Amino acid sequence: KMLVPNANRLAIYKALFKAGVLCAPKDVYKPKHDDIDVPNLHVIKLMQSLVSRGYAREKFSWQWYYWFLTDEGIEYLRNYLHFPEDVKPDTLMKQDKPLPRLPAHMGGRREYSDRADRGEYRGRRPFGEKKSETAPADFKPEFRSGFG
């Protein structure tokens, strides 16, 4: 069991509740977390405690921890931090408008208006529709060994 100062605990819980998610590198010797002004070890250990109590889910990939609040975790943190019922994490808030599309040079989708026939070339057709061009019924392939 690790003792974490109450100020650090509150800072971590507030950041977690505000976003609904939290990530941290697997580096217990890192003096400070990237987003919160607390030691990285405190973040890892407090989140480990929340995961063990079922208040958060954990994913681990490429030496990084990713934590997501569960519904029980939201209720627990709301009671712990004394927030009203109408306050919710950002992950539960609805977006007012869709995000703008990125330009093609920044990784957005490109539109190929002058290449309208590409969909036919790639074989795109509505789901369940069969391909109309098939081999004739009397087609008998030959398999030979070697070349020609």
Short mmCIF file of all heavy atoms in Angstrom, two decimals, residues 84-144:
data_model
loop_
_atom_site.label_atom_id
_atom_site.label_comp_id
_atom_site.label_asym_id
_atom_site.label_seq_id
_atom_site.Cartn_x
_atom_site.Cartn_y
_atom_site.Cartn_z
N PRO A 84 -21.86 18.03 -8.31
CA PRO A 84 -23.30 17.80 -8.47
C PRO A 84 -23.58 16.74 -9.54
O PRO A 84 -22.70 16.38 -10.33
CB PRO A 84 -23.84 19.17 -8.90
CG PRO A 84 -22.66 19.92 -9.39
CD PRO A 84 -21.46 19.37 -8.72
N GLU A 85 -24.80 16.26 -9.58
CA GLU A 85 -25.20 15.19 -10.50
C GLU A 85 -25.09 15.58 -11.97
O GLU A 85 -24.89 14.74 -12.82
CB GLU A 85 -26.63 14.73 -10.21
CG GLU A 85 -26.78 13.97 -8.92
CD GLU A 85 -26.13 12.60 -8.97
OE1 GLU A 85 -26.20 11.95 -10.03
OE2 GLU A 85 -25.55 12.19 -7.96
N ASP A 86 -25.25 16.87 -12.27
CA ASP A 86 -25.24 17.29 -13.67
C ASP A 86 -23.84 17.41 -14.26
O ASP A 86 -23.69 17.57 -15.47
CB ASP A 86 -26.00 18.60 -13.85
CG ASP A 86 -25.38 19.74 -13.05
OD1 ASP A 86 -24.68 19.45 -12.07
OD2 ASP A 86 -25.63 20.91 -13.42
N VAL A 87 -22.81 17.32 -13.45
CA VAL A 87 -21.43 17.37 -13.96
C VAL A 87 -21.04 15.99 -14.46
O VAL A 87 -21.19 15.00 -13.75
CB VAL A 87 -20.46 17.85 -12.85
CG1 VAL A 87 -19.03 17.85 -13.35
CG2 VAL A 87 -20.86 19.22 -12.36
N LYS A 88 -20.56 15.94 -15.72
CA LYS A 88 -20.19 14.67 -16.34
C LYS A 88 -18.81 14.78 -16.97
O LYS A 88 -18.37 15.88 -17.32
CB LYS A 88 -21.19 14.30 -17.44
CG LYS A 88 -22.58 14.07 -16.93
CD LYS A 88 -23.51 13.74 -18.07
CE LYS A 88 -24.92 13.57 -17.57
NZ LYS A 88 -25.86 13.36 -18.66
N PRO A 89 -18.11 13.66 -17.14
CA PRO A 89 -16.83 13.68 -17.84
C PRO A 89 -17.01 14.07 -19.31
O PRO A 89 -18.09 13.92 -19.88
CB PRO A 89 -16.31 12.24 -17.73
CG PRO A 89 -17.06 11.65 -16.59
CD PRO A 89 -18.38 12.35 -16.55
N ASP A 90 -15.95 14.56 -19.92
CA ASP A 90 -16.00 14.97 -21.33
C ASP A 90 -16.36 13.82 -22.26
O ASP A 90 -16.92 14.04 -23.32
CB ASP A 90 -14.66 15.57 -21.75
CG ASP A 90 -14.40 16.91 -21.08
OD1 ASP A 90 -15.36 17.50 -20.54
OD2 ASP A 90 -13.24 17.37 -21.10
N THR A 91 -16.04 12.60 -21.86
CA THR A 91 -16.34 11.46 -22.73
C THR A 91 -17.84 11.19 -22.82
O THR A 91 -18.27 10.54 -23.77
CB THR A 91 -15.64 10.19 -22.23
OG1 THR A 91 -15.97 9.99 -20.86
CG2 THR A 91 -14.14 10.29 -22.40
N LEU A 92 -18.63 11.68 -21.88
CA LEU A 92 -20.07 11.47 -21.92
C LEU A 92 -20.83 12.66 -22.49
O LEU A 92 -22.03 12.58 -22.69
CB LEU A 92 -20.61 11.18 -20.52
CG LEU A 92 -20.11 9.91 -19.86
CD1 LEU A 92 -20.75 9.74 -18.49
CD2 LEU A 92 -20.42 8.70 -20.72
N MET A 93 -20.14 13.75 -22.76
CA MET A 93 -20.79 14.94 -23.30
C MET A 93 -20.99 14.78 -24.80
O MET A 93 -20.12 14.28 -25.51
CB MET A 93 -19.95 16.19 -23.03
CG MET A 93 -19.67 16.41 -21.56
SD MET A 93 -21.12 16.64 -20.58
CE MET A 93 -21.31 18.37 -20.75
N LYS A 94 -22.15 15.22 -25.29
CA LYS A 94 -22.44 15.18 -26.72
C LYS A 94 -21.75 16.36 -27.40
O LYS A 94 -21.72 17.46 -26.87
CB LYS A 94 -23.94 15.28 -26.97
CG LYS A 94 -24.72 14.16 -26.36
CD LYS A 94 -24.80 13.03 -27.32
CE LYS A 94 -25.71 11.96 -26.72
NZ LYS A 94 -25.67 10.76 -27.41
N GLN A 95 -21.22 16.11 -28.60
CA GLN A 95 -20.62 17.19 -29.35
C GLN A 95 -21.72 17.96 -30.06
O GLN A 95 -22.64 17.37 -30.63
CB GLN A 95 -19.63 16.65 -30.37
CG GLN A 95 -18.37 16.12 -29.75
CD GLN A 95 -17.36 15.71 -30.80
OE1 GLN A 95 -17.66 15.70 -31.99
NE2 GLN A 95 -16.17 15.38 -30.38
N ASP A 96 -21.65 19.29 -30.04
CA ASP A 96 -22.66 20.12 -30.67
C ASP A 96 -22.63 20.01 -32.19
O ASP A 96 -23.64 19.91 -32.84
CB ASP A 96 -22.49 21.57 -30.26
CG ASP A 96 -22.78 21.78 -28.79
OD1 ASP A 96 -23.51 20.94 -28.22
OD2 ASP A 96 -22.28 22.76 -28.21
N LYS A 97 -21.44 20.04 -32.75
CA LYS A 97 -21.32 19.97 -34.20
C LYS A 97 -20.20 19.01 -34.55
O LYS A 97 -19.27 18.80 -33.76
CB LYS A 97 -21.05 21.36 -34.77
CG LYS A 97 -19.81 22.03 -34.20
CD LYS A 97 -19.65 23.41 -34.75
CE LYS A 97 -18.41 24.06 -34.12
NZ LYS A 97 -18.17 25.38 -34.60
N PRO A 98 -20.25 18.42 -35.72
CA PRO A 98 -19.18 17.50 -36.11
C PRO A 98 -17.86 18.23 -36.31
O PRO A 98 -17.83 19.43 -36.61
CB PRO A 98 -19.68 16.89 -37.41
CG PRO A 98 -20.67 17.86 -37.94
CD PRO A 98 -21.27 18.54 -36.74
N LEU A 99 -16.79 17.51 -36.13
CA LEU A 99 -15.46 18.09 -36.32
C LEU A 99 -15.25 18.44 -37.79
O LEU A 99 -15.72 17.72 -38.68
CB LEU A 99 -14.40 17.10 -35.86
CG LEU A 99 -14.42 16.76 -34.38
CD1 LEU A 99 -13.40 15.67 -34.08
CD2 LEU A 99 -14.11 17.98 -33.55
N PRO A 100 -14.52 19.51 -38.06
CA PRO A 100 -14.27 19.85 -39.46
C PRO A 100 -13.35 18.82 -40.11
O PRO A 100 -12.54 18.18 -39.44
CB PRO A 100 -13.59 21.22 -39.38
CG PRO A 100 -13.03 21.29 -38.00
CD PRO A 100 -13.93 20.45 -37.14
N ARG A 101 -13.51 18.66 -41.42
CA ARG A 101 -12.68 17.70 -42.15
C ARG A 101 -11.29 18.27 -42.35
O ARG A 101 -11.12 19.46 -42.58
CB ARG A 101 -13.32 17.40 -43.50
CG ARG A 101 -14.61 16.63 -43.32
CD ARG A 101 -15.22 16.29 -44.63
NE ARG A 101 -14.28 15.52 -45.42
CZ ARG A 101 -14.51 15.11 -46.64
NH1 ARG A 101 -15.64 15.38 -47.22
NH2 ARG A 101 -13.62 14.42 -47.30
N LEU A 102 -10.32 17.40 -42.28
CA LEU A 102 -8.94 17.81 -42.51
C LEU A 102 -8.68 17.91 -44.01
O LEU A 102 -9.21 17.12 -44.79
CB LEU A 102 -7.97 16.79 -41.92
CG LEU A 102 -7.89 16.73 -40.40
CD1 LEU A 102 -6.96 15.58 -40.00
CD2 LEU A 102 -7.36 18.03 -39.86
N PRO A 103 -7.82 18.84 -44.41
CA PRO A 103 -7.41 18.86 -45.81
C PRO A 103 -6.63 17.60 -46.16
O PRO A 103 -6.06 16.94 -45.29
CB PRO A 103 -6.52 20.10 -45.91
CG PRO A 103 -6.80 20.90 -44.69
CD PRO A 103 -7.30 19.95 -43.65
N ALA A 104 -6.59 17.27 -47.44
CA ALA A 104 -5.94 16.03 -47.87
C ALA A 104 -4.47 16.00 -47.51
O ALA A 104 -3.94 14.95 -47.14
CB ALA A 104 -6.12 15.86 -49.38
N HIS A 105 -3.78 17.14 -47.57
CA HIS A 105 -2.35 17.15 -47.28
C HIS A 105 -2.06 16.96 -45.79
O HIS A 105 -0.94 16.73 -45.39
CB HIS A 105 -1.69 18.42 -47.81
CG HIS A 105 -2.07 19.66 -47.06
ND1 HIS A 105 -3.25 20.34 -47.29
CD2 HIS A 105 -1.45 20.33 -46.06
CE1 HIS A 105 -3.32 21.37 -46.49
NE2 HIS A 105 -2.25 21.39 -45.72
N MET A 106 -3.11 17.03 -44.94
CA MET A 106 -2.94 16.83 -43.50
C MET A 106 -3.51 15.49 -43.04
O MET A 106 -3.72 15.27 -41.86
CB MET A 106 -3.61 17.96 -42.73
CG MET A 106 -2.95 19.30 -42.95
SD MET A 106 -3.80 20.63 -42.10
CE MET A 106 -3.52 20.18 -40.41
N GLY A 107 -3.75 14.59 -43.96
CA GLY A 107 -4.22 13.26 -43.60
C GLY A 107 -5.70 13.04 -43.77
O GLY A 107 -6.22 11.99 -43.43
N GLY A 108 -6.43 14.03 -44.29
CA GLY A 108 -7.86 13.87 -44.52
C GLY A 108 -8.14 13.03 -45.75
O GLY A 108 -7.25 12.71 -46.54
N ARG A 109 -9.41 12.67 -45.95
CA ARG A 109 -9.80 11.88 -47.12
C ARG A 109 -9.74 12.73 -48.37
O ARG A 109 -10.12 13.88 -48.37
CB ARG A 109 -11.21 11.35 -46.95
CG ARG A 109 -11.27 10.07 -46.20
CD ARG A 109 -12.67 9.56 -46.24
NE ARG A 109 -13.06 9.27 -47.61
CZ ARG A 109 -13.74 8.21 -47.97
NH1 ARG A 109 -14.11 7.36 -47.08
NH2 ARG A 109 -14.07 8.01 -49.21
N ARG A 110 -9.32 12.12 -49.43
CA ARG A 110 -9.30 12.81 -50.72
C ARG A 110 -10.56 12.42 -51.48
O ARG A 110 -11.02 11.30 -51.43
CB ARG A 110 -8.08 12.40 -51.53
CG ARG A 110 -6.80 12.87 -50.90
CD ARG A 110 -5.64 12.59 -51.82
NE ARG A 110 -4.46 13.16 -51.24
CZ ARG A 110 -3.30 12.55 -51.16
NH1 ARG A 110 -3.15 11.36 -51.67
NH2 ARG A 110 -2.28 13.14 -50.61
N GLU A 111 -11.09 13.38 -52.20
CA GLU A 111 -12.25 13.12 -53.04
C GLU A 111 -11.77 12.93 -54.47
O GLU A 111 -11.00 13.74 -54.99
CB GLU A 111 -13.24 14.29 -52.97
CG GLU A 111 -13.82 14.49 -51.58
CD GLU A 111 -14.68 13.31 -51.14
OE1 GLU A 111 -15.31 12.66 -52.00
OE2 GLU A 111 -14.72 13.04 -49.93
N TYR A 112 -12.21 11.88 -55.09
CA TYR A 112 -11.83 11.57 -56.47
C TYR A 112 -13.02 11.78 -57.38
O TYR A 112 -13.60 10.84 -57.90
CB TYR A 112 -11.34 10.12 -56.57
CG TYR A 112 -10.08 9.87 -55.79
CD1 TYR A 112 -10.12 9.23 -54.56
CD2 TYR A 112 -8.86 10.28 -56.28
CE1 TYR A 112 -8.96 9.00 -53.84
CE2 TYR A 112 -7.69 10.07 -55.57
CZ TYR A 112 -7.75 9.43 -54.36
OH TYR A 112 -6.61 9.20 -53.64
N SER A 113 -13.42 13.03 -57.57
CA SER A 113 -14.59 13.29 -58.39
C SER A 113 -14.32 12.98 -59.86
O SER A 113 -15.22 12.59 -60.59
CB SER A 113 -15.03 14.74 -58.22
OG SER A 113 -13.97 15.60 -58.59
N ASP A 114 -13.08 13.17 -60.30
CA ASP A 114 -12.78 12.89 -61.70
C ASP A 114 -12.55 11.40 -61.96
O ASP A 114 -12.38 11.00 -63.09
CB ASP A 114 -11.56 13.69 -62.16
CG ASP A 114 -10.32 13.38 -61.33
OD1 ASP A 114 -10.50 12.94 -60.16
OD2 ASP A 114 -9.20 13.56 -61.84
N ARG A 115 -12.56 10.60 -60.94
CA ARG A 115 -12.35 9.16 -61.09
C ARG A 115 -13.57 8.40 -60.58
O ARG A 115 -13.47 7.53 -59.73
CB ARG A 115 -11.12 8.72 -60.32
CG ARG A 115 -9.86 9.40 -60.79
CD ARG A 115 -8.72 8.91 -59.97
NE ARG A 115 -7.50 9.62 -60.33
CZ ARG A 115 -6.36 9.44 -59.73
NH1 ARG A 115 -6.27 8.60 -58.74
NH2 ARG A 115 -5.30 10.11 -60.09
N ALA A 116 -14.70 8.73 -61.10
CA ALA A 116 -15.94 8.13 -60.62
C ALA A 116 -16.01 6.63 -60.90
O ALA A 116 -16.69 5.89 -60.21
CB ALA A 116 -17.13 8.82 -61.26
N ASP A 117 -15.29 6.17 -61.91
CA ASP A 117 -15.36 4.75 -62.26
C ASP A 117 -14.44 3.89 -61.40
O ASP A 117 -14.40 2.68 -61.57
CB ASP A 117 -15.01 4.57 -63.74
CG ASP A 117 -13.63 5.10 -64.08
OD1 ASP A 117 -13.12 5.98 -63.35
OD2 ASP A 117 -13.06 4.65 -65.08
N ARG A 118 -13.70 4.46 -60.46
CA ARG A 118 -12.79 3.66 -59.62
C ARG A 118 -13.55 2.68 -58.74
O ARG A 118 -13.07 1.60 -58.46
CB ARG A 118 -11.93 4.56 -58.74
CG ARG A 118 -10.81 5.18 -59.49
CD ARG A 118 -10.01 6.02 -58.55
NE ARG A 118 -9.29 5.17 -57.62
CZ ARG A 118 -8.03 5.37 -57.28
NH1 ARG A 118 -7.37 6.37 -57.79
NH2 ARG A 118 -7.45 4.57 -56.43
N GLY A 119 -14.73 3.05 -58.29
CA GLY A 119 -15.51 2.16 -57.45
C GLY A 119 -15.85 0.88 -58.19
O GLY A 119 -15.84 -0.21 -57.62
N GLU A 120 -16.16 0.99 -59.47
CA GLU A 120 -16.44 -0.20 -60.26
C GLU A 120 -15.19 -1.04 -60.45
O GLU A 120 -15.23 -2.25 -60.41
CB GLU A 120 -17.01 0.22 -61.62
CG GLU A 120 -18.35 0.91 -61.51
CD GLU A 120 -18.77 1.49 -62.84
OE1 GLU A 120 -18.11 1.20 -63.86
OE2 GLU A 120 -19.75 2.24 -62.86
N TYR A 121 -14.06 -0.38 -60.62
CA TYR A 121 -12.80 -1.11 -60.80
C TYR A 121 -12.47 -1.91 -59.55
O TYR A 121 -12.01 -3.04 -59.63
CB TYR A 121 -11.68 -0.11 -61.11
CG TYR A 121 -10.31 -0.74 -61.06
CD1 TYR A 121 -9.88 -1.58 -62.07
CD2 TYR A 121 -9.46 -0.50 -59.99
CE1 TYR A 121 -8.62 -2.16 -62.02
CE2 TYR A 121 -8.21 -1.07 -59.92
CZ TYR A 121 -7.81 -1.91 -60.95
OH TYR A 121 -6.57 -2.48 -60.90
N ARG A 122 -12.70 -1.35 -58.39
CA ARG A 122 -12.36 -2.02 -57.14
C ARG A 122 -13.41 -3.03 -56.72
O ARG A 122 -13.26 -3.67 -55.70
CB ARG A 122 -12.19 -0.99 -56.04
CG ARG A 122 -11.18 0.06 -56.39
CD ARG A 122 -10.14 0.10 -55.40
NE ARG A 122 -9.12 1.04 -55.86
CZ ARG A 122 -8.02 1.24 -55.23
NH1 ARG A 122 -7.79 0.59 -54.15
NH2 ARG A 122 -7.14 2.08 -55.69
N GLY A 123 -14.47 -3.15 -57.46
CA GLY A 123 -15.46 -4.16 -57.16
C GLY A 123 -16.42 -3.77 -56.06
O GLY A 123 -17.01 -4.63 -55.42
N ARG A 124 -16.62 -2.48 -55.84
CA ARG A 124 -17.54 -2.04 -54.80
C ARG A 124 -18.97 -2.14 -55.33
O ARG A 124 -19.30 -1.62 -56.37
CB ARG A 124 -17.25 -0.61 -54.39
CG ARG A 124 -15.93 -0.50 -53.70
CD ARG A 124 -15.73 0.89 -53.19
NE ARG A 124 -14.36 1.00 -52.68
CZ ARG A 124 -13.71 2.13 -52.60
NH1 ARG A 124 -14.26 3.24 -52.99
NH2 ARG A 124 -12.49 2.15 -52.13
N ARG A 125 -19.79 -2.83 -54.59
CA ARG A 125 -21.19 -2.95 -54.93
C ARG A 125 -21.97 -3.08 -53.63
O ARG A 125 -21.40 -3.39 -52.59
CB ARG A 125 -21.43 -4.16 -55.83
CG ARG A 125 -20.91 -5.46 -55.27
CD ARG A 125 -20.94 -6.55 -56.34
NE ARG A 125 -20.22 -7.69 -55.88
CZ ARG A 125 -18.90 -7.85 -55.97
NH1 ARG A 125 -18.17 -6.95 -56.53
NH2 ARG A 125 -18.32 -8.93 -55.51
N PRO A 126 -23.25 -2.82 -53.66
CA PRO A 126 -24.04 -2.90 -52.42
C PRO A 126 -23.94 -4.29 -51.79
O PRO A 126 -23.77 -5.30 -52.47
CB PRO A 126 -25.47 -2.62 -52.88
CG PRO A 126 -25.32 -1.88 -54.17
CD PRO A 126 -24.04 -2.38 -54.79
N PHE A 127 -24.06 -4.32 -50.46
CA PHE A 127 -23.93 -5.57 -49.72
C PHE A 127 -25.00 -6.56 -50.18
O PHE A 127 -26.16 -6.23 -50.31
CB PHE A 127 -24.09 -5.31 -48.22
CG PHE A 127 -23.95 -6.55 -47.40
CD1 PHE A 127 -22.72 -7.14 -47.20
CD2 PHE A 127 -25.05 -7.14 -46.82
CE1 PHE A 127 -22.58 -8.28 -46.45
CE2 PHE A 127 -24.94 -8.28 -46.07
CZ PHE A 127 -23.69 -8.85 -45.89
N GLY A 128 -24.59 -7.78 -50.42
CA GLY A 128 -25.51 -8.84 -50.81
C GLY A 128 -25.69 -8.98 -52.31
O GLY A 128 -26.23 -9.97 -52.78
N GLU A 129 -25.25 -7.99 -53.07
CA GLU A 129 -25.40 -8.07 -54.53
C GLU A 129 -24.29 -8.95 -55.08
O GLU A 129 -23.12 -8.77 -54.79
CB GLU A 129 -25.31 -6.67 -55.13
CG GLU A 129 -25.62 -6.64 -56.61
CD GLU A 129 -25.58 -5.20 -57.14
OE1 GLU A 129 -26.35 -4.39 -56.62
OE2 GLU A 129 -24.77 -4.94 -58.03
N LYS A 130 -24.66 -9.92 -55.91
CA LYS A 130 -23.70 -10.87 -56.47
C LYS A 130 -22.99 -10.25 -57.66
O LYS A 130 -23.52 -9.40 -58.37
CB LYS A 130 -24.41 -12.15 -56.93
CG LYS A 130 -25.09 -12.90 -55.82
CD LYS A 130 -24.09 -13.57 -54.95
CE LYS A 130 -24.79 -14.38 -53.90
NZ LYS A 130 -23.95 -14.91 -52.92
N LYS A 131 -21.78 -10.72 -57.90
CA LYS A 131 -21.02 -10.27 -59.05
C LYS A 131 -21.64 -10.88 -60.30
O LYS A 131 -21.91 -12.07 -60.35
CB LYS A 131 -19.57 -10.72 -58.88
CG LYS A 131 -18.59 -10.02 -59.75
CD LYS A 131 -17.18 -10.44 -59.35
CE LYS A 131 -16.17 -9.58 -60.07
NZ LYS A 131 -14.83 -9.94 -59.71
N SER A 132 -21.87 -10.06 -61.32
CA SER A 132 -22.57 -10.55 -62.50
C SER A 132 -21.65 -11.30 -63.46
O SER A 132 -22.10 -12.17 -64.20
CB SER A 132 -23.25 -9.39 -63.23
OG SER A 132 -22.25 -8.46 -63.64
N GLU A 133 -20.38 -10.98 -63.47
CA GLU A 133 -19.46 -11.65 -64.38
C GLU A 133 -18.84 -12.86 -63.70
O GLU A 133 -18.07 -12.73 -62.77
CB GLU A 133 -18.37 -10.67 -64.81
CG GLU A 133 -18.91 -9.49 -65.58
CD GLU A 133 -17.80 -8.52 -65.94
OE1 GLU A 133 -16.63 -8.93 -65.91
OE2 GLU A 133 -18.12 -7.38 -66.24
N THR A 134 -19.20 -14.04 -64.18
CA THR A 134 -18.62 -15.27 -63.64
C THR A 134 -18.09 -16.10 -64.79
O THR A 134 -18.34 -15.80 -65.97
CB THR A 134 -19.68 -16.09 -62.88
OG1 THR A 134 -20.75 -16.40 -63.77
CG2 THR A 134 -20.21 -15.32 -61.68
N ALA A 135 -17.38 -17.13 -64.47
CA ALA A 135 -16.85 -18.01 -65.51
C ALA A 135 -17.99 -18.78 -66.17
O ALA A 135 -18.99 -19.08 -65.53
CB ALA A 135 -15.85 -19.00 -64.90
N PRO A 136 -17.85 -19.08 -67.46
CA PRO A 136 -18.89 -19.85 -68.14
C PRO A 136 -19.05 -21.24 -67.51
O PRO A 136 -18.15 -21.77 -66.87
CB PRO A 136 -18.40 -19.97 -69.58
CG PRO A 136 -17.12 -19.24 -69.68
CD PRO A 136 -16.77 -18.71 -68.34
N ALA A 137 -20.21 -21.82 -67.69
CA ALA A 137 -20.51 -23.12 -67.08
C ALA A 137 -19.61 -24.22 -67.62
O ALA A 137 -19.28 -25.17 -66.91
CB ALA A 137 -21.98 -23.48 -67.32
N ASP A 138 -19.16 -24.13 -68.88
CA ASP A 138 -18.32 -25.17 -69.46
C ASP A 138 -16.83 -24.90 -69.27
O ASP A 138 -16.00 -25.58 -69.86
CB ASP A 138 -18.66 -25.32 -70.96
CG ASP A 138 -18.41 -24.04 -71.73
OD1 ASP A 138 -18.28 -22.96 -71.08
OD2 ASP A 138 -18.35 -24.10 -72.96
N PHE A 139 -16.48 -23.94 -68.44
CA PHE A 139 -15.07 -23.62 -68.21
C PHE A 139 -14.41 -24.73 -67.41
O PHE A 139 -14.87 -25.12 -66.35
CB PHE A 139 -14.96 -22.29 -67.45
CG PHE A 139 -13.54 -21.90 -67.13
CD1 PHE A 139 -12.67 -21.50 -68.14
CD2 PHE A 139 -13.09 -21.93 -65.82
CE1 PHE A 139 -11.38 -21.13 -67.84
CE2 PHE A 139 -11.79 -21.55 -65.53
CZ PHE A 139 -10.93 -21.15 -66.54
N LYS A 140 -13.31 -25.27 -67.94
CA LYS A 140 -12.55 -26.32 -67.27
C LYS A 140 -11.08 -25.90 -67.25
O LYS A 140 -10.39 -26.01 -68.26
CB LYS A 140 -12.72 -27.65 -68.00
CG LYS A 140 -14.17 -28.13 -67.94
CD LYS A 140 -14.28 -29.50 -68.48
CE LYS A 140 -15.62 -30.03 -68.14
NZ LYS A 140 -16.67 -29.99 -68.92
N PRO A 141 -10.59 -25.44 -66.13
CA PRO A 141 -9.19 -25.02 -66.07
C PRO A 141 -8.24 -26.20 -66.18
O PRO A 141 -8.56 -27.33 -65.77
CB PRO A 141 -9.08 -24.35 -64.70
CG PRO A 141 -10.16 -24.96 -63.91
CD PRO A 141 -11.26 -25.29 -64.87
N GLU A 142 -7.08 -25.94 -66.76
CA GLU A 142 -6.04 -26.97 -66.86
C GLU A 142 -4.91 -26.62 -65.92
O GLU A 142 -4.50 -25.47 -65.85
CB GLU A 142 -5.50 -27.01 -68.29
CG GLU A 142 -6.49 -27.50 -69.32
CD GLU A 142 -5.84 -27.57 -70.70
OE1 GLU A 142 -4.61 -27.76 -70.77
OE2 GLU A 142 -6.57 -27.42 -71.66
N PHE A 143 -4.40 -27.61 -65.25
CA PHE A 143 -3.27 -27.41 -64.35
C PHE A 143 -2.12 -28.25 -64.87
O PHE A 143 -2.20 -29.47 -64.95
CB PHE A 143 -3.64 -27.82 -62.92
CG PHE A 143 -4.78 -27.02 -62.36
CD1 PHE A 143 -6.06 -27.52 -62.31
CD2 PHE A 143 -4.56 -25.74 -61.90
CE1 PHE A 143 -7.09 -26.79 -61.81
CE2 PHE A 143 -5.59 -24.99 -61.39
CZ PHE A 143 -6.86 -25.50 -61.35
N ARG A 144 -1.05 -27.59 -65.24
CA ARG A 144 0.13 -28.28 -65.76
C ARG A 144 1.31 -28.03 -64.83
O ARG A 144 1.40 -26.99 -64.21
CB ARG A 144 0.50 -27.75 -67.14
CG ARG A 144 -0.55 -27.97 -68.18
CD ARG A 144 -0.02 -27.53 -69.51
NE ARG A 144 -1.01 -26.66 -70.12
CZ ARG A 144 -0.77 -25.89 -71.14
NH1 ARG A 144 0.42 -25.84 -71.68
NH2 ARG A 144 -1.72 -25.15 -71.66
#
